[in-house]
Amino acid sequence: GIGKCVAMDLARRNARTILACRSQERGQAAVEEIRAATGNPAVVLRLLDTGSLASVRAFASAVLREESRLDVLVNNAGVTGLPFAITSEGLEQTFTINYLGPFLLTNLLLG
């Protein structure tokens, strides 16, 4: 998708690139594909579920702790057509995944 294409382009430019994915398996496959296509070993996977504000907070905390700087943030993930559901945090699922999670992530990473 679009996110993978953006990550590929950043990696081709020799940027340290963090893929934030919900799925360990699919995310790791994307990391390996991008590394192989670009020759950039600085492509890493970090797990993130924007439908969970706890996951967003943990991801942002790890990035701020582990990375010396963050130059670009691409909020790309989103969903549509999910049935109505409430998250464990009491929020509507689609709204949380598409808006609240990315908004919180951006604000936590602003530093």
Side-chain angles (χ1 to χ4, degrees):
I2 294 171
K4 189 170 162 186
C5 288
V6 170
M8 185 79 74
D9 186 64
L10 291 170
R12 277 195 181 107
R13 296 168 189 258
N14 208 34
R16 176 168 169 76
T17 305
I18 302 169
L19 276 64
C21 303
R22 277 189 330 235
S23 166
Q24 174 78 37
E25 292 171 11
R26 290 183 13 220
Q28 191 59 44
V31 165
E32 291 169 14
E33 180 183 339
I34 293 168
R35 284 179 182 167
T38 65
N40 183 344
V43 179
V44 297
L45 173 65
R46 298 288 180 264
L47 296 180
L48 170 64
D49 177 1
T50 59
S52 163
L53 299 186
S55 175
V56 171
R57 289 180 193 286
F59 176 88
S61 177
V63 168
L64 292 172
R65 183 177 59 253
E66 297 168 5
E67 303 296 329
S68 61
R69 60 191 258 194
L70 179 65
D71 296 313
V72 176
L73 175 65
V74 178
N75 280 323
N76 165 65
V79 296
T80 186
L82 295 180
F84 179 84
I86 300 296
T87 68
S88 62
E89 296 160 313
L91 303 165
E92 196 281 322
Q93 178 179 249
T94 300
F95 184 62
T96 303
I97 293 169
N98 291 344
Y99 299 100
L100 298 179
F103 180 84
L104 177 61
L105 179 62
T106 300
N107 280 277
L108 291 173
L109 292 176
L110 283 174

